[in-house]
Amino acid sequence: MSEPPAEARTAAYRERRDALRWLLLGVAGLALAALAVQLDARLGTASAPFLGRYKIRVGAGTLLAPAVAAVTLWLAVSGRFTRLRWHEIQLFGYTVGLAWAIALALVDGWSGLTKALGSPEEYLGDVRQVGDAPLAYLRHFTGDATYHSVASLGHPPGPVLFLWALQQIGVTNHIVLGFLITAVSVLAIPLVLAAVRDSVGEEAARRYLPVLVLAPYAIWTAVSLDGLVAVLGAAAIVSGLRASRRRVRGWAAIGWALLAGLLIGVASLFSYSAPWLGLSLVCVYFARRRASLNALSGIGALLPVLGFQLLGFGWADGLVAAETDYAARVAPYRSVLWWSAISVVVLLLATGPPLYASARKIRNTAMWPFLVGAGAAVVFSIAAGLARGGVEHAWLPFFPWLTVAAVAPERPGGDPPPSPLLLVGIGAIVAVVIEALLITPW
């Protein structure tokens, strides 16, 4: 059923206003980053707000990415999503999201899928250290510098062991490996859609589809092991939502709650920031008055952590080692004051204009647990002085949850607004421009 003209005009006005305000904030943020560079601030890069350098590049993705975006927006405008069944919506979201991420990566040619994996400073260097002794690798993870590359010093052993397992089953070609990692990372899209559907209904989830699949942060989804954390976190939140449904009780609720915690625990073996996703679970249980499920999810989260403790890797020891390395290797060369502000600029650019529309409605949306959990993680990393460049990767598991309220009703109990296609289109343009200009320092 189409919206009344007055409501449609009001929604269009709000969308244009959100786009304009996001653009003003983005321009101000870029000006701040440029000022920091001109003042020779301690940034560790000449291309703030990102780490790396700028150089105009033209590749296959230069035309492919805009084509993917144009087709997706046309399908949304034409109302095709309303005629698809739910499982088709999820499959379409995954397929287009994968095409979008791959297209952006291919701006660099095939190296867009392989350059991160081939760098001696990335995880594959550590995979060679594992050899045929993964248990020895775990036991020495926090105490032997020879086991670490620059990348793994800030992460638990999960990423390295994941790549090691893939190599053990014969996945050694870097292009195949890069595509596989990207394909797994994009599974976050159908999972986030399922969470939105469970929270505010299927209509809002359908309208959120373009926002999610054409997100600018897809630039960093390609060949990023932080994308695996995003998938695990999204699966955990979906499990928590299933556990706390009104009609789910008994063993079913216990099983889903344990699974939610278990997935958070596994995610924490890939990233020290992953436990923040558990805050969204706590908020979901609070909002649905199922506080007892917190204990079950807490037990589930401890199981993989304690299991790795028995195998030789202490999660808390690893966190301390990562913080010590960070303080010695990064902190002296990157100003916490400048990067605290510039990291917010990265957040604006990576999530695009839907972030503004989402943040504006945090007080009157049933999706507030997701915004609180992801927002708390971002605020903590800034307040603790940990946001000193590279947050486009570190915050990847949180980005999808920061824009979910873009399709939330303007008032409690109201109808969801139309898909904010103007905001989505602007975000897609931002992604293409960033990818065409930025060369990351692998």
Side-chain angles (χ1 to χ4, degrees), residues 86-429:
W86 175 247
H87 73 274
E88 294 173 336
I89 286 287
Q90 289 184 295
L91 179 60
F92 179 84
Y94 174 80
T95 304
V96 175
L98 179 59
W100 176 241
I102 295 294
L104 289 171
L106 290 180
V107 170
D108 245 355
W110 289 116
S111 65
L113 289 174
T114 62
K115 62 182 180 181
L117 297 171
S119 169
E121 294 186 347
E122 275 297 316
Y123 296 108
L124 287 184
D126 287 24
V127 171
R128 289 188 288 271
Q129 296 288 348
V130 177
D132 295 323
L135 294 181
Y137 176 78
L138 286 176
R139 288 194 298 270
H140 293 88
F141 186 83
T142 58
D144 190 343
T146 62
Y147 277 84
H148 301 300
S149 68
V150 171
S152 73
L153 282 166
H155 291 77
V160 174
L161 294 179
F162 175 77
L163 292 175
W164 175 83
L166 289 179
Q167 288 200 354
Q168 295 304 299
I169 61 176
V171 183
T172 57
N173 181 277
H174 284 188
I175 293 178
V176 174
L177 187 57
F179 180 85
L180 179 61
I181 293 172
T182 306
V184 173
S185 298
V186 176
L187 287 171
I189 289 177
L191 289 168
V192 173
L193 287 174
V196 174
R197 184 193 190 206
D198 205 318
S199 300
V200 292
E202 186 171 317
E203 186 62 29
R206 288 173 179 268
R207 297 182 181 190
Y208 186 53
L209 176 65
V211 178
L212 194 56
V213 299
L214 295 181
Y217 54 77
I219 295 172
W220 299 283
T221 297
V223 203
S224 172
L225 289 173
D226 288 297
L228 303 184
V229 182
V231 173
L232 291 167
I237 290 174
V238 170
S239 299
L241 288 166
R242 296 285 177 88
S244 57
R245 285 176 175 175
R246 184 175 302 176
R247 296 181 180 179
V248 176
R249 301 285 174 175
W251 287 109
I254 292 173
W256 281 115
L258 283 171
L259 177 61
L262 183 66
L263 290 166
I264 291 292
V266 174
S268 70
L269 297 174
F270 282 77
S271 170
Y272 291 117
S273 64
W276 280 104
L277 293 168
L279 181 57
S280 289
L281 281 180
V282 173
C283 292
V284 165
Y285 295 155
F286 170 80
R288 295 186 169 187
R289 299 181 181 180
R290 301 289 294 275
S292 61
L293 297 177
N294 282 305
L296 294 168
S297 292
I299 293 171
L302 286 174
L303 291 177
V305 175
L306 293 177
F308 267 62
Q309 178 86 37
L310 294 174
L311 293 175
F313 168 71
W315 192 89
D317 294 336
L319 177 61
V320 171
E323 291 178 342
T324 301
D325 169 73
Y326 187 85
R329 184 173 51 85
V330 176
Y333 307 104
R334 299 182 191 172
S335 168
V336 64
L337 293 177
W338 278 109
W339 272 114
S340 293
I342 293 174
S343 294
V344 177
V345 182
V346 174
L347 178 67
L348 280 170
L349 297 177
T351 51
L355 175 67
Y356 188 93
S358 182
R360 179 171 56 79
K361 292 183 280 189
I362 187 174
R363 292 183 299 175
N364 60 350
T365 175
M367 291 183 282
W368 67 266
F370 310 142
L371 277 77
V372 168
V378 169
V379 170
F380 174 81
S381 65
I382 292 176
L386 299 177
R388 304 197 193 199
V391 295
E392 56 269 27
H393 292 278
W395 291 351
L396 191 59
F398 311 119
F399 286 152
W401 306 108
L402 292 171
T403 59
V404 288
V407 293
E410 294 291 338
R411 60 185 182 279
D415 293 327
S419 294
L421 299 182
L422 173 62
L423 307 185
V424 173
I426 294 173
I429 293 171

